[in-house]
Amino acid sequence: MNGARKGSHGAVLVQTPSRFGFGGASLPWLTLVLLLLSSLPAWAQSQQSADASATAAPEVLPGQPPELVGTISGSVVDRTGAFVPGAVVKLSRETRPLSPDVASDSDGQYAFVRITPGPFQIKIESPGFATQTSTGTLHSGEDLLLPPITLAIASPSTEVRVSMTPTEMAEAEIKDEERQRVLGVIPNFYVTYNPVAVPLHPRQKFELAWKATIDPVNFGLVGAIAGIQQAANSFSGYGQGAQGYAKRYGAGYADSVTGTFIGSAILPSLFKQDPRYFYKGTGTRRSRFFYAIANAFICKGDNGHWQANYSGILGSLAAGGLSNLYYPDSDRDVTITFENTLIGIGATAANNVLQEFVIRKFTHNAPTYTPAAPDPAAGTR
């Protein structure tokens, strides 16, 4: 069978010639090949390890020792020298972190290990303290102990942003105006010393009118005027005595209430006008005088523009018409109503002049505001 024979148990035996031939593979040949193949992985692995070692090893110049990693440690204290626990310590080099952040322990201590040599910066942050930084240089293999880093108390700085609605701002201005009193006694509610005062809400216009009519000084002034009228026997139809005084007092207070509410609350709310006098206080005396006179005929609207004072003029006319309901028959006349309206406009102009030049000096608790910038359109209004 060409080099093969059967044994006694039927197994095929391979005939191995004594010399290497091309007809078959001898056992020494196979053993050599297997040994070579088995040694290839081990040789490749050793070669890769050698290459990796050559790559990882730092280049060391002749006569220069290799650089070794080191440690940086220290402590954090406050101005009294007490340790500051929980402070966040950051280590960096050229804005690049060298190690994860650490926190100072209960004794204020911190440490960074296995740090490559070179310059470094330490930044320490702690609530209630100002941020502190420190710089230095770590040498090869050095265990660097830094001096204690002292944290200063953060300077108290509070940023307050006040954002008030126009209604809230107007309410604050009304509170200031309700404290304004001539000689500390006579109410001076209907003048604002803020040249850029925000417009009043209708509810605030009624609030101001109500405060003015129920002020105790108002009751006293009405009583004094009624006494003068009775002494001069004005409105003789009311008669004399207590009854005549009571009628004069009631008519005078009714005039005050109707004139204030109609001319300073109801109509200003309908026409969207501001019932207050806007104190000028700047410019020449001549310009201020004509400004005060003009404000008897014009007023500032809720839109911030000047316009005809419909509220004040029609308010005087309406209040005069209503007074015909309670004044004596001899004083009820349409002509008298219009005359009283003109007198009221003239009285308003005179009051404005006094407000501009005199009353401001005697008004207690008058707030001070920054003067408004000159209005280039003021001469065309």
Side-chain angles (χ1 to χ4, degrees):
M1 294 180 56
N2 295 329
R5 63 184 179 88
K6 291 183 178 180
S8 58
H9 297 287
V12 179
L13 300 178
V14 178
Q15 191 177 20
T16 56
S18 59
R19 297 181 62 88
F20 300 149
F22 295 98
S26 66
L27 181 59
W29 175 258
L30 289 175
T31 302
L32 179 62
V33 171
L34 291 176
L35 288 175
L36 288 175
L37 291 176
S38 62
S39 64
L40 282 176
W43 176 83
Q45 184 175 2
S46 63
Q47 188 67 25
Q48 289 177 357
S49 300
D51 292 342
S53 299
T55 302
E59 183 179 357
V60 180
L61 298 177
Q64 179 181 359
E67 291 188 337
L68 303 175
V69 295
T71 62
I72 301 175
S73 60
S75 60
V76 184
V77 298
D78 60 18
R79 285 185 174 180
T80 65
F83 294 122
V84 178
V88 178
V89 186
K90 301 180 180 182
L91 180 67
S92 62
R93 176 177 297 154
E94 296 179 351
T95 70
R96 179 177 56 86
L98 286 176
S99 175
D101 299 346
V102 299
S104 57
D105 60 18
S106 58
D107 293 328
Q109 308 294 316
Y110 65 89
F112 296 95
V113 298
R114 300 188 60 78
I115 305 301
T116 57
F120 64 86
Q121 181 186 57
I122 284 182
K123 182 178 182 181
I124 301 179
E125 299 175 345
S126 183
F129 293 93
T131 300
Q132 185 67 272
T133 60
S134 177
T135 59
T137 301
L138 179 68
H139 299 94
S140 177
E142 181 182 13
D143 292 330
L144 179 60
L145 177 62
L146 297 176
I149 298 178
T150 303
L151 298 183
I153 301 295
S155 58
S157 59
T158 304
E159 181 181 0
V160 179
R161 296 185 177 181
V162 179
S163 180
M164 299 176 64
T165 64
T167 301
E168 292 172 338
M169 294 174 65
E171 191 67 31
E173 291 174 359
I174 286 181
K175 298 303 180 185
D176 287 339
E177 292 158 12
E178 290 175 353
R179 298 173 60 241
Q180 297 170 175
R181 292 183 180 271
V182 180
L183 299 176
V185 178
I186 303 173
N188 191 25
F189 299 164
Y190 277 97
V191 59
T192 175
Y193 297 101
N194 184 3
V196 290
V198 296
L200 302 178
H201 188 273
R203 177 182 58 79
Q204 294 168 330
K205 296 173 183 178
F206 278 90
E207 174 187 341
L208 197 58
W210 171 253
K211 292 291 182 64
T213 55
I214 66 170
D215 191 86
V217 176
N218 186 46
F219 289 107
L221 291 176
V222 171
I225 294 173
I228 295 173
Q229 290 173 345
Q230 181 150 337
N233 200 27
S234 300
F235 309 113
S236 57
Y238 286 145
Q240 291 294 320
Q243 186 177 11
Y245 178 81
K247 290 179 179 179
R248 289 180 176 86
Y249 187 95
Y253 187 72
D255 287 346
S256 174
V257 172
T258 56
T260 302
F261 271 91
I262 295 176
S264 300
I266 298 175
L267 293 182
S269 297
L270 293 176
F271 291 116
K272 300 184 185 307
Q273 295 181 328
D274 201 309
R276 298 170 295 180
Y277 174 74
F278 283 73
Y279 176 77
K280 182 176 175 64
T282 58
T284 64
R285 289 181 175 272
R286 183 174 181 273
S287 66
R288 293 172 64 189
F289 175 80
F290 284 107
Y291 170 84
I293 297 296
N295 268 260
F297 303 93
I298 63 174
C299 68
K300 186 173 285 190
D302 291 345
N303 58 3
H305 299 140
W306 293 96
Q307 51 194 251
N309 190 4
Y310 305 114
S311 301
I313 297 173
L314 294 180
S316 297
L317 188 61
L322 287 175
S323 67
N324 289 328
L325 298 177
Y326 47 81
Y327 273 94
D329 293 339
S330 59
D331 296 294
R332 297 178 185 178
D333 188 274
V334 175
T335 303
I336 295 177
T337 300
F338 281 98
E339 288 177 354
N340 289 337
T341 300
L342 294 176
I343 292 174
I345 294 174
T348 299
N351 179 70
N352 291 346
V353 172
L354 291 175
Q355 290 283 3
E356 193 65 34
F357 293 100
V358 180
I359 297 179
R360 172 69 176 85
K361 301 176 183 179
F362 298 97
T363 299
H364 292 197
N365 300 320
T368 301
Y369 297 95
T370 302
D375 188 352
T380 62
R381 288 172 178 167

